[in-house]
Amino acid sequence: MDDEEFLRRLQALTPGAAVWDGFDPLSWRSVEIDEEEATAVVDEASDFQDGGGWGSDDSAGIIFSYRHLTEEERARTYVSRHNKARGYASDEPLYVPDLEKMEKVNWKETGLAMGELSEEGAIFVPWDVVEGYPDMYIGKRNSVRAAPLFTLDSLHENRVWDLYYVHQPAELNQKPAIFVPTYQFQHLLDVVNAKLETQLTIPPGKNERRFKMSFGIGNTPRPRFLGRSDSPECFESLCATVPAPKPGDDLSHATHLGREEFMNLLSIVDQAKKRMKDSKTKSDKNRFKRIQRHRAWGRSVKRVQRYLGLRQKLADRDPTLVDTPTALDVHLPMTHEPEGSVLFVAVDIEAYEENQALITEVGIAILDTNDIRGVAPGDGGQDWFQRISARHIRVEENSWAMNSRYVQGCANRFSFGTSEFIEQAEIPAILEQLIDNATSADPVDGTLTPRPVVLVFHESSADIGYLKKLGYSIYDAKNVVEIADTREMHQFVSRSKDGRSLGSVLDYLGIPSRDLHNAGNDAVYTLRAMIGLAVKKRLISLAKTGEKIDNKLLEHHIPYSEFKEREKQHEGWTSGGEDTDGGDAINPVNSESRKDFGNGNSGSQGW
């Protein structure tokens, strides 16, 4: 849908079409919208959607939906990325929740003694569904953030729960089911949304019944009051002292339809328990994978630091020195030699957006670690940037293909040299010369030995795939010792669960950039990002070791106290401090293709 049609529909579907005067559809589409949040807002306005409301890939549905929410529903759509939608949709001031006031809610006493029946028509949610909500009903993006707020301890922080129980028929051989009022669970979601700026809701459709259970139909038992729980200890004590069944707690007087409905409700409870168990198993597996991934990123950062001379391999440390390093002066040359005398080779590929099989540009940037011996890195490693050399290759037969729809291509704006027009068939040989044939010369007799190469990418999987399309496989390369990925390095350094674009990483590091999406420029900036991340993380680690952290260093960085708390949650955001060095390189190359590497001086690199 083009902008003109989009605006026309806005005006046609909205009372008082003049409200859209001056509205720029392009600016709306440029706003990042969290899909989970968008879905939640649209779900809350389902009555409008069912009544013929309009939604589109342009997210206009969010605008229309918001206009039809009740005041209570609008109050739940807390300040988040929907600010612009609300600004277009309403003149009302934004609702900013008072979290402290929300958490101090005092529920009215039930007036019930233990074992007394709940009110007719009361709505309940099983406790297993409450605890299992993050794993069962939240997408993976927010489940990790929300999960700590749904532990038994957190669920009782500044909060009380009115517990009810239902005895299950003897033939089911199950413990009494525990329930809480649905309105108390809804309040929990409101507080969580205010804390995390999310849009968590009771799911609509068939899952809604799991959160809104009503008992007593056809002379069937209603939940009985167990007590008010204000702590994990109180909760466990109450659940361990459920009174014995009373007359009326069985199905002896239930109608046929009532019995069927009651058993269906208990079946939902049983399914919730099983789903919670399965989700926990799956969550544990995913958490294990996530921990391993985070730790692997941390080890990779340390190895890059060793290759740059920012860190020393533990085996090379002087055993007579017991003190660990606590400072790094970036204005002095490194005290350690760059390990392995490696070549960092960054590669970036640009493909045509209308046909990803058409490779249009290849960018190559090289940092020879022999060139930074005796050179101070400078602030953020910027004094090493000038040691980077680069090439920008435009695939001659595809040079007509220019990107402009999804990204703004700039193939004619290489900032670090002169672009070369080369036929695609010749490019694999160029890569082989730079990577497979890299050598170092012995300073005494001039003997050439293979030079170790660390390939550097930003989001390696995409570029490795493009290289394969070009006819070059890194898995058959002779000199590659490992791959460094600046996207993953940034996630570890910033402890972010989301990968960021190269431009975002450069902004995070304060590295100026221009004309991104030119493959040659991107290759250079990828190496600059690698250097900047390695230096930044080394400074943070040493400052932490010395218990003095420069606030400027920690801009956009999670405080160490919070980091330690995350570590308690087993997220793997640590790589062992100064007691580990990153271990051995993770070699992507087939073992039979791997060769021994010397540590000699720089030789010909085939430029």
Side-chain angles (χ1 to χ4, degrees), residues 374-529:
V375 179
D379 293 330
Q382 62 183 354
D383 290 346
W384 286 348
F385 293 173
Q386 59 187 316
R387 307 289 172 162
I388 297 171
S389 53
R391 291 180 70 171
H392 177 230
I393 298 172
R394 296 186 63 179
V395 180
E396 188 167 12
E397 58 266 43
N398 298 334
S399 59
W400 57 268
M402 299 290 287
N403 292 332
S404 60
R405 183 176 180 182
Y406 302 114
V407 297
Q408 186 57 54
C410 49
N412 59 343
R413 295 201 294 273
F414 179 44
S415 303
F416 303 98
T418 303
S419 300
E420 308 167 60
F421 287 82
I422 298 176
E423 292 184 1
Q424 181 168 320
E426 299 176 15
I427 295 176
I430 294 174
L431 293 169
E432 185 175 337
Q433 178 65 20
L434 296 175
I435 298 171
D436 298 55
N437 296 337
T439 58
S440 59
D442 186 279
V444 178
D445 58 16
T447 302
L448 297 179
T449 55
R451 189 77 182 276
V453 172
V454 174
L455 291 179
V456 186
F457 301 96
H458 188 82
E459 193 171 5
S460 58
S461 59
D463 287 314
I464 290 173
Y466 287 136
L467 284 172
K468 187 176 181 180
K469 289 180 180 179
L470 280 173
Y472 183 84
S473 172
I474 68 162
Y475 303 109
D476 295 326
K478 297 177 182 179
N479 286 6
V480 176
V481 291
E482 73 171 299
I483 294 171
D485 191 320
T486 51
R487 185 171 182 260
E488 296 173 354
M489 289 178 66
H490 168 260
Q491 283 187 253
F492 184 80
V493 174
S494 64
R495 297 171 192 143
S496 170
K497 67 182 186 303
D498 297 320
R500 301 297 183 190
S501 67
L502 177 59
S504 296
V505 174
L506 294 169
D507 288 343
Y508 167 79
L509 294 168
I511 297 175
S513 64
R514 56 180 293 183
D515 295 328
L516 294 174
H517 298 296
N518 173 293
N521 295 342
D522 283 3
V524 172
Y525 287 127
T526 296
L527 276 188
R528 290 186 176 186

Side-chain angles (χ1 to χ4, degrees), residues 260-429:
E260 187 175 282
E261 173 65 13
F262 184 78
M263 296 303 289
N264 284 339
L265 292 175
L266 294 184
S267 175
I268 291 175
V269 175
D270 185 56
Q271 290 173 15
K273 288 183 178 180
K274 291 179 179 178
R275 285 189 63 187
M276 182 178 175
K277 183 178 180 181
D278 293 342
S279 295
K280 188 177 187 307
T281 300
K282 182 179 179 181
S283 177
D284 288 344
K285 289 180 180 178
N286 291 338
R287 183 172 290 112
F288 176 77
K289 292 179 181 178
R290 189 165 57 247
I291 290 170
Q292 296 302 102
R293 192 163 58 243
H294 293 168
R295 288 175 177 168
W297 296 346
R299 290 191 291 268
S300 176
V301 170
K302 284 186 173 180
R303 291 194 298 272
V304 168
Q305 291 171 341
R306 281 161 40 194
Y307 301 143
L308 292 171
L310 295 167
R311 176 187 290 274
Q312 189 178 30
K313 195 172 185 178
L314 288 180
D316 296 336
R317 276 190 188 174
D318 186 343
T320 63
L321 299 177
V322 295
D323 293 335
T324 57
T326 58
L328 175 69
D329 190 339
V330 296
H331 301 294
L332 295 176
M334 296 299 94
T335 57
H336 310 303
E337 288 292 311
E339 182 184 315
S341 187
V342 306
L343 284 176
F344 285 106
V345 180
V347 180
D348 183 81
I349 309 290
E350 294 293 322
Y352 186 41
E353 58 194 1
E354 300 292 345
N355 181 359
Q356 294 291 299
L358 288 181
I359 307 300
T360 58
E361 303 172 57
V362 178
I364 306 167
I366 289 184
L367 174 66
D368 187 336
T369 54
N370 286 330
D371 292 341
I372 63 173
R373 294 175 187 270
V375 179
D379 293 330
Q382 62 183 354
D383 290 346
W384 286 348
F385 293 173
Q386 59 187 316
R387 307 289 172 162
I388 297 171
S389 53
R391 291 180 70 171
H392 177 230
I393 298 172
R394 296 186 63 179
V395 180
E396 188 167 12
E397 58 266 43
N398 298 334
S399 59
W400 57 268
M402 299 290 287
N403 292 332
S404 60
R405 183 176 180 182
Y406 302 114
V407 297
Q408 186 57 54
C410 49
N412 59 343
R413 295 201 294 273
F414 179 44
S415 303
F416 303 98
T418 303
S419 300
E420 308 167 60
F421 287 82
I422 298 176
E423 292 184 1
Q424 181 168 320
E426 299 176 15
I427 295 176

